[in-house]
Amino acid sequence: MIIVHVITGTQKYGGAEAMMARLVKEGVTSEDKSVTHQVVSLSPLGDVAMDLQHEGIRVESLQITSFFNVLSGMFKLIMLLRREKADVVQT
């Protein structure tokens, strides 16, 4: 099963970022190896993403930095979810 976690940003550890990171790290260290976790950040990667990548978790950025590239970012997200064949999308 593939679980894709979508989060606004991974710049700094806030409440949502900390909970997502904890959830993903615990999922990766669990005994059930049939579950794959991946994180998608809407904005450029930051400290949280680096920590997750250090743990071996795949993290991608859609690079949405302004209102003008929201549509292209959403298109990238749709293509990524189709490519990965995500079973669960957690937002």
Side-chain angles (χ1 to χ4, degrees):
M1 174 175 13
I2 299 171
I3 301 174
V4 176
H5 304 268
V6 180
I7 193 153
T8 347
T10 57
Q11 299 299 322
K12 298 179 183 176
Y13 274 100
E17 294 82 3
M19 288 305 294
M20 182 271 309
R22 186 172 147 205
L23 177 68
V24 171
K25 287 178 183 179
E26 287 181 13
V28 169
T29 59
S30 74
E31 297 293 321
D32 187 3
K33 298 300 178 193
S34 66
V35 178
T36 303
H37 293 267
Q38 180 178 349
V39 175
V40 177
S41 173
L42 301 182
S43 61
L45 301 180
D47 295 340
V48 180
M50 299 308 146
D51 289 347
L52 292 171
Q53 287 175 335
H54 182 71
E55 297 281 333
I57 299 161
R58 243 173 82 199
V59 181
E60 293 189 39
S61 171
L62 300 179
Q63 298 292 329
I64 298 175
T65 56
S66 73
F67 175 75
F68 299 107
N69 56 4
V70 169
L71 286 178
S72 66
M74 291 301 108
F75 180 73
K76 288 179 195 175
L77 178 61
I78 291 168
M79 300 311 328
L80 182 141
L81 294 174
R82 286 184 180 168
R83 180 184 76 224
E84 298 299 326
K85 297 183 170 90
D87 296 301
V88 177
V89 179
Q90 188 261 323
T91 59

